[in-house]
Structure formats: C-alpha cells, structure tokens
Amino acid sequence: MFAGLLDAARNSPFRTPFTRVHCDDGTEKAVVPGRSVQAAASREVEFGSNEFFGLCAVGGILSCGITHTAVVPLDLVKCRLQVNQAKYKNLFHGFKVTIAEEGARGLAKGWAPTFFGYSAQGAFKFGLYEVFKIKYADMIGEENAYLYRTWVYLAASASAEFFADIALAPLEAAKVKIQTMPGYANTMRQAMPKMMGEEGVMAFYKGLVPLWCRQIPYTMMKFACFEKTVELLYKHVVPKPRDQCSKGEQLIVTFAAGYIAGVFCAVVSHPADVVVSKLNQAKGSSAIDVAKQLGFMGMWNGLTPRIIMIGTLTALQWFIYDGVKVALSIPRPPPPEMPESL
C-alpha cells in the first residue's frame, strides 16, 4: 500500500498493546515499553500488515453494509421528508403515507443500492483510515503524533472518506432516485440502466461533490469524536483501566462512544445530506441551485429522524467493527498514552 508502511506501523504510537516478542530464554516482553499487555488466546494478525488492513476493510464492509441496510425504512422516510415536506409532514406521517400508498414492502425500497454502496464505502472508510492513521503518525513522529492526535484522526478519516465516496456515489444516486421519485424505478436493476440512458455516466457522479461535503465532515467527526470519547470514557467514567475490562465491557464503551459521535455527525453533515437528496431528484440542477431553492431552514428538513438514524447507525457500526476485530484477532490498540520522552 505504501512504501515502508510496515515500519511505520511498528514505530507508530498507535501500535497494538497485544503484540509480544518471544525472547531466547522463553519469556515474553511487550514491544511497547511501559504498557501492560495480555497474551492473545490465538494467533493474532500482525499489526500494520496487509492482512491487518484487509481484515479491517472486511470489518468496514460488515459494519456499514449491515447497518445502513437495516435502517432503509427510516432512511427512505427521511429522504422523502427532505424533498417533499408538504406531503410527508413529519417522521410518523411519512411512515403512514408510505405504507398507505405502497404497503409495508414500500419501506424497503432502495435496499440493494444501499447494501452494495455502503459495503463498498465501509471497506474504503475503515480500511484506509487505519492506513492513513499509521502513515500520518509516522510522518510527524511519535511525540507530535501524541500531542496532535486529534489532527491525525481528522486527516486520516478525511483522506479515507475521499476515496470511499467515489465508490459510494453511483449507488447513492440510484438509491435516492428509487426512494424519492415515484414510478421512476423499483429496483437497482431498473434504475441504473435508466439513469445511464437518460444522463450518461454523470448521472452517477453529479452528486459526488455534495456527497463529499456531507460525508467528509461526517466521517471526520465520526472518527475523531469516537477516538476522543473512548479516551475520555476510560479516563473519567469507566471505573477500571481498559486492560482490566472484559471484551464485552470494552464493546459497551465502544457502543456508547459511537452513539455520542453519531449525534454530532448527524448535525454537522445534515445540510449537505438534504442537498444530495434534492439534487438527485432534481434533474439538471446544480448543488448551488438546490441550496438556493431550499434556503437555510429548508436544509434542516428531516433532522430529527436523521439524528435517530445516524446516532444508532454510528454506534452499531463501531460495535460491529470492534466486534469483528475481537472475533478475527485483529489488534485493537488502547487509547494512546504519552510517550516517555514527554
């Protein structure tokens, strides 16, 4: 992936506390001085290896693909609130109208592009985040990586999401067409050829810039807020050190930190989310045209369901991602500690 990436991983302040070196005398010692460690019950994936990044991508596929697909009914009503609030007055009214017109099955519209789109996005988002976090920490050195760790999280997550959105954009465009344009298409197989025939390849990428505007701030908040919240929870809330917590207790902390991060994510990224929904519905319009048409207040339509959706979604994503790491013996570094040199 990157030249010297393995060396960067080994020297990074984010390296795993679980990796141990076997000495000639048969004893073991931690490669990170001053940190308490526990031996893995089975062979653990080498931190910073290609296998490590690949399995992190698998965790991202499962965490994003499963969770986004699970909340398709809420997402569908949220999108309809954003583009037609005169018809869908609020969250509950939106569900009522949708079921009355299309039946309960209508709430599942757009599940296929959601599943495939967000699975691809998750692979890039989580896999590349691990890559960039190690790379950027190595570039600025151990001391700076600790002192400016929030900036490392922000830069790594923004870089990862840039590529993740390129993978997501075509399927996100198809999803919005299916969910917000009655009669346009009922399935992904119907929508994508029709979009290609009407507008060409640009039909799939005209929403890419507003998608970046929505997803990059969202992901920066998602990762940086999560990492910082985990650090604060273990420092001020959890009554014992992380290495003394069971894996189940650690996953509960992960879920709580994920939900807190998700609420902030929803608020930060919501205006761009409304523009993306309206843009893919309004043929021939630009993001600026849509923003002007909506006005400031119009760009906050559907915020309540989105907070519920994104808070739950983000918490479950981190829970699944961390759970996959536990199940596959992928290293899970603890919150960073101050280097001895500081």
Side-chain angles (χ1 to χ4, degrees):
M1 297 207 179
F2 289 101
L5 186 58
L6 195 53
D7 290 336
R10 286 170 177 162
N11 295 323
S12 168
F14 302 107
R15 57 191 179 273
T16 173
F18 298 105
T19 306
R20 302 176 74 87
V21 175
H22 293 269
C23 304
D24 293 335
D25 60 2
T27 61
E28 293 181 327
K29 65 179 181 179
V31 296
V32 186
R35 290 192 187 176
S36 57
V37 294
Q38 62 186 66
S42 58
R43 185 192 74 85
E44 207 166 65
V45 176
E46 183 182 1
F47 184 72
S49 65
N50 287 335
E51 183 184 11
F52 170 80
F53 295 123
L55 290 176
C56 286
V58 170
I61 290 170
L62 293 173
S63 67
C64 292
I66 292 171
T67 53
H68 277 277
T69 305
V71 296
V72 161
L74 187 60
D75 183 46
L76 179 140
V77 174
K78 181 266 300 180
C79 287
R80 291 181 174 183
L81 271 170
Q82 290 172 340
V83 302
N84 191 356
Q85 196 165 26
K87 182 177 180 180
Y88 305 95
K89 295 178 172 54
N90 54 52
L91 179 61
F92 297 106
H93 187 256
F95 274 104
K96 183 179 178 180
V97 171
T98 299
I99 293 172
E101 292 182 347
E102 304 173 55
R105 293 185 63 182
L107 293 172
K109 271 190 171 181
W111 75 266
T114 297
F115 175 75
F116 291 109
Y118 283 93
S119 292
Q121 185 216 34
F124 284 95
K125 184 200 297 271
F126 283 93
L128 288 180
Y129 174 70
E130 301 286 359
V131 172
F132 285 119
K133 186 169 74 168
I134 290 172
K135 183 64 177 178
Y136 294 157
D138 181 61
M139 287 170 60
I140 63 176
E142 184 178 8
E143 292 182 356
N144 286 329
Y146 174 78
L147 293 172
Y148 304 107
R149 57 194 180 281
T150 300
W151 292 102
V152 173
Y153 304 147
L154 290 169
S157 55
S159 301
E161 189 61 38
F162 177 86
F163 295 101
D165 288 344
I166 295 173
L168 171 63
L171 292 147
E172 177 75 359
K175 175 189 79 80
V176 173
K177 291 277 191 185
I178 293 167
Q179 291 181 339
T180 64
M181 297 182 66
Y184 184 84
N186 290 320
T187 66
M188 184 174 73
R189 286 183 296 178
Q190 293 173 354
M192 298 191 81
K194 190 172 182 179
M195 292 167 67
M196 176 65 80
E198 290 179 352
E199 302 178 64
V201 176
M202 286 310 296
F204 301 108
Y205 287 100
K206 70 176 185 178
L208 180 58
V209 172
L211 193 61
W212 276 330
C213 292
R214 180 189 84 183
Q215 288 297 130
I216 289 178
Y218 163 84
T219 301
M220 291 170 72
M221 182 67 72
K222 174 179 179 174
F223 282 86
C225 185
F226 172 79
E227 299 267 21
K228 196 66 179 176
T229 303
V230 166
E231 187 177 336
L232 293 173
L233 286 176
Y234 279 114
K235 186 175 182 180
H236 299 292
V237 179
V238 180
K240 54 186 176 181
R242 180 182 184 269
D243 58 0
Q244 294 178 21
C245 296
S246 67
K247 286 185 170 63
E249 291 169 334
Q250 292 177 19
L251 288 175
I252 290 172
V253 173
T254 295
F255 184 86
Y259 208 102
I260 293 168
V263 172
F264 286 101
C265 290
V267 175
V268 166
S269 62
H270 190 73
D273 182 61
V274 178
V275 172
V276 169
S277 296
K278 193 70 176 177
L279 184 65
N280 283 303
Q281 184 201 43
K283 185 177 179 180
S285 298
S286 67
I288 295 173
D289 293 334
V290 169
K292 287 179 178 177
Q293 179 187 345
L294 287 167
F296 178 78
M297 293 306 297
M299 288 193 289
W300 295 98
N301 290 340
L303 178 60
T304 299
R306 191 157 191 269
I307 286 176
I308 297 169
M309 184 182 81
I310 296 299
T312 306
L313 202 73
T314 305
L316 288 173
Q317 283 178 1
W318 279 114
F319 185 84
I320 292 171
Y321 182 64
D322 218 23
V324 169
K325 281 189 167 185
V326 170
L328 299 181
S329 297
I330 303 172
R332 300 162 60 240
E337 298 175 359
M338 184 182 294
E340 293 180 2
S341 56
L342 291 174

